[in-house]
Amino acid sequence: MSGEVLINLTPMETRVAVVENGVLQEALIERTRRRGIVGNIYKGRVVRVLPGMQAAFVDIGLDRAAFIHAHEVMPPGTPTEEQLSIGALLHEGQALVVQVTKDPIGSKGARLTTHLSVPSRYLVYMPDSPHHGVSQRIEDDAERERLRALLDAVQGEMELEITGGFIVRTAAEGVGRDELYTDMHFLLRLWRKVSERKVTASAPSVIYDDLPLFIRTLRDLRREEIEKVRIDSRENYVKLVAFAEEFMPDAVPRLEYYPGERPIFDLYSVEDEIQKALGRKVQLKSGGYLVIDPTEAMTTIDVNTGGYVGHRNLEETIFKTNLEAANAIARQLRLRNLGGIIIIDFIDMDDPEHQRQVLRMLEKALERDHAKTKCTGVTELGLVQLTRKRTRESLEQTLCEACETCGGRGTLKTAETVCYEIFREILREERAYSAETYMVLASQAVVDRLLDEDSAAVADLETFIGKTIRFQVEAHYSQEQYDIVLM
């Protein structure tokens, strides 16, 4: 399987597209004003203890207090009979060092743990746990034993004091002693700095901030799957190369600065695929289609034959549609970043062998997913249920907001998202036509944002293209509608 990573950077946001065999599989978006915080370590303060829920709220400096459960405060592996109540573990006003395990999503605050860990390319260091482990995704027993023995040997050579344990990440499959030694040394030096900040920092404050998205993406990639990493910012390309040279030198030849005039996301129609991923309906090549409905509690996916009539009989038509749907569903889960409980209603199949093959196809397709998934089989109603670990907002939650007009039944893009689309469209128009002036016709909310919060970005864009950009409010335009007039 051949894959590429495309990285689009602007002062406002970082966008990463993971493409496999020419098809978009994953889209990651991180905005400067609303960056993901999973993995960050904070010194917080307990603001409320909830004995009835065995949990507490902790102020870590965000708009909403974060949530921590009692089992995330007790040492890992504490027997049930020895577990304490939340009231015995925490009290209001107490300073507490915590790590974010889940971003704030919707109305829910961030989820926290006191079981701290810091990752590198090949290892995860857990300062409070003395045990070593190997990622379950490495299935070869001989390779697992080799890595475990190598980890013990490297730790014995380390001059720095080690009090915790390490988990060998999936990316370490096949690596040697030097790579693990470099990673371990880096993590121990990093943890020494974090430990110093734990003592000196006031609450609430950040004491460890994870890497920016474009570097984090490189760090977490599976080496064998990605042939090229292209980035359209020269300044950040230099940073990416410097990081790779220090921590993953084998990745340096795969890094490439993209200077092309054509927007990098247009190479594989990434923009179009993102637009499609915001809709309910997903068309299949055979003529069938999926209907995807995310809700607060779960996501439901319905499979339909649509216009596909097959060539033999109804059962064969249903079987082929379900097989195609299984692959498409696995891709949509990654692309939309859907998490939690997923219920799939495949078209009913009478043949048990067909049911088994469709389920096996789904499980095989899910193996490429970086997020942890678990398929629990078929229910009595013939529904397939699975779970997918959710640590950040879905693509829809990142790019869209609830529509006031329809009372929340649908969604529309935020004014911020539309502004960035306008910026990109102006750049396209400039490269194609080079007009004297550009007039942007848009809704009141979008124009207000262009003239207020994003005025600096507009000024930078005007300087970059050497043209004037004017704005006009169109009262009958919805928030997503806009036009760019060349003058």
Side-chain angles (χ1 to χ4, degrees):
M1 177 181 294
S2 62
E4 287 190 34
V5 174
L6 309 179
I7 304 176
N8 168 228
L9 283 117
T10 65
M12 300 80 68
E13 63 180 357
T14 299
R15 303 189 303 160
V16 175
V18 179
V19 178
E20 294 174 0
N21 295 328
V23 180
L24 178 66
Q25 299 291 333
E26 197 165 351
L28 307 171
I29 298 173
E30 186 173 86
R31 289 177 173 163
T32 306
R33 298 189 185 93
R34 198 175 64 183
R35 187 178 163 189
I37 59 172
V38 170
N40 288 3
I41 299 176
Y42 294 81
K43 190 171 186 178
R45 192 170 299 280
V46 179
V47 293
R48 190 179 178 193
V49 177
L50 307 170
M53 295 179 62
Q54 281 295 290
F57 285 110
V58 182
D59 177 16
I60 58 174
L62 304 180
D63 294 338
R64 291 191 301 272
F67 180 88
I68 189 167
H69 195 271
H71 71 260
E72 296 291 356
V73 182
M74 287 176 286
T78 303
T80 305
E81 61 275 10
E82 297 179 16
Q83 293 182 2
L84 302 174
S85 68
I86 192 69
L89 296 165
L90 301 176
H91 60 268
E92 291 185 11
Q94 176 182 346
L96 189 67
V97 176
V98 291
Q99 187 165 31
V100 177
T101 59
K102 184 181 291 187
D103 279 332
I105 298 175
S107 60
K108 298 177 181 178
R111 291 291 296 266
L112 306 175
T113 182
T114 60
H115 307 152
L116 309 181
S117 64
V118 287
S120 64
R121 171 61 176 155
Y122 300 118
L123 299 173
V124 177
Y125 178 49
M126 301 175 296
D128 301 322
S129 174
H131 303 293
H132 292 335
V134 178
S135 168
Q136 293 181 355
R137 287 181 178 267
I138 300 177
E139 298 178 352
D140 185 84
D141 291 338
E143 177 64 5
R144 292 175 64 87
E145 288 303 316
R146 185 190 74 86
L147 287 170
R148 197 181 295 274
L150 198 58
L151 187 63
D152 291 337
V154 169
Q155 181 170 338
E157 299 172 16
M158 196 62 57
E159 296 177 359
L160 297 174
E161 182 182 353
I162 302 176
T163 56
F166 293 88
I167 298 292
V168 180
R169 304 183 71 181
T170 309
E173 190 168 7
V175 304
R177 175 259 178 208
D178 291 346
E179 291 92 336
L180 292 190
Y181 184 91
T182 301
D183 264 27
M184 190 178 292
H185 193 261
F186 163 76
L187 287 173
L188 293 174
R189 284 187 293 128
L190 173 63
W191 184 250
R192 181 176 292 177
K193 293 179 182 178
V194 173
S195 299
E196 292 171 358
R197 291 179 192 151
K198 284 169 61 178
V199 177
T200 59
S202 58
S205 62
V206 183
I207 58 178
Y208 166 73
D209 199 356
D210 203 0
L211 295 168
L213 176 61
F214 71 98
I215 295 181
R216 204 163 66 236
T217 300
L218 179 65
R219 179 193 70 190
D220 296 340
L221 287 178
R222 297 183 189 176
R223 297 171 304 161
E224 69 279 1
E225 294 180 358
I226 301 301
E227 295 179 347
K228 191 70 67 179
V229 177
R230 299 183 183 183
I231 182 169
D232 63 2
S233 164
R234 181 174 290 279
E235 176 186 354
N236 290 290
Y237 167 73
V238 172
K239 294 179 182 177
L240 205 59
V241 170
F243 176 84
E245 286 176 341
E246 182 173 0
F247 298 109
M248 31 193 317
D250 61 324
V252 174
R254 284 176 283 167
L255 304 182
E256 180 182 295
Y257 168 59
Y258 175 77
E261 291 189 1
R262 186 184 180 194
I264 191 170
F265 269 27
D266 286 2
L267 295 182
Y268 295 101
S269 302
V270 172
E271 300 282 12
D272 292 341
E273 290 299 316
I274 291 175
Q275 297 297 329
K276 291 177 184 177
L278 297 176
R280 292 179 66 230
K281 194 172 180 178
V282 178
Q283 203 68 42
L284 302 177
K285 290 181 180 178
S286 65
Y289 63 91
L290 311 176
V291 176
I292 302 176
D293 283 311
T295 68
E296 184 73 19
M298 68 182 68
T299 296
T300 61
I301 303 177
D302 187 35
V303 182
N304 299 275
T305 55
Y308 181 48
V309 295
H311 302 288
R312 295 183 182 178
N313 53 52
L314 179 60
E315 182 66 23
E316 192 68 20
T317 299
I318 290 172
F319 176 52
K320 288 188 175 180
T321 302
N322 282 338
L323 281 176
E324 186 184 0
N327 261 319
I329 287 168
R331 173 177 175 258
Q332 290 296 324
L333 294 183
R334 287 180 65 186
L335 178 55
R336 298 169 185 244
N337 190 35
L338 299 173
I341 301 170
I342 319 269
I343 301 295
I344 306 169
D345 185 10
F346 284 107
I347 307 167
D348 291 340
M349 295 172 286
D350 296 328
D351 189 338
E353 178 60 21
H354 285 177
Q355 295 177 12
R356 189 182 64 80
Q357 288 188 43
V358 169
L359 198 59
R360 188 172 63 183
M361 175 69 77
L362 177 64
E363 291 172 342
K364 185 177 180 180
L366 288 171
E367 289 176 0
R368 298 196 297 270
D369 197 339
H370 66 88
K372 184 178 180 181
T373 58
K374 182 180 180 182
C375 187
T376 58
V378 183
T379 69
E380 293 179 359
L381 297 176
L383 305 174
V384 174
Q385 56 185 21
L386 59 93
T387 59
R388 185 175 187 271
K389 187 174 181 180
R390 174 166 47 197
T391 58
R392 55 185 171 86
E393 291 182 326
S394 68
L395 186 67
E396 182 182 86
Q397 289 170 323
T398 301
L399 297 180
C400 302
E401 64 183 11
C403 175
E404 295 181 4
T405 303
C406 68
R409 294 189 303 273
T411 60
L412 78 163
K413 298 173 192 171
T414 64
E416 182 183 26
T417 297
V418 177
C419 288
Y420 298 158
E421 286 187 358
I422 290 172
F423 294 154
R424 295 195 291 272
E425 187 62 30
I426 289 174
L427 286 171
R428 289 192 184 92
E429 298 287 349
E430 173 63 16
R431 287 165 181 151
Y433 303 107
S434 189
E436 292 298 320
T437 305
Y438 292 93
M439 171 70 78
V440 176
L441 309 178
S443 66
Q444 183 73 58
V446 171
V447 172
D448 285 349
R449 184 175 183 93
L450 288 166
L451 296 175
D452 189 2
E453 291 102 318
D454 287 327
S455 58
V458 172
D460 289 343
L461 184 57
E462 287 180 323
T463 301
F464 180 77
I465 64 176
K467 307 291 172 59
T468 300
I469 303 173
R470 295 162 56 192
F471 305 98
Q472 179 176 312
V473 175
E474 290 291 333
H476 65 280
Y477 276 25
S478 73
Q479 188 161 290
E480 291 189 359
Q481 287 180 285
Y482 64 86
D483 285 303
I484 298 173
V485 181
L486 282 61
M487 304 179 68

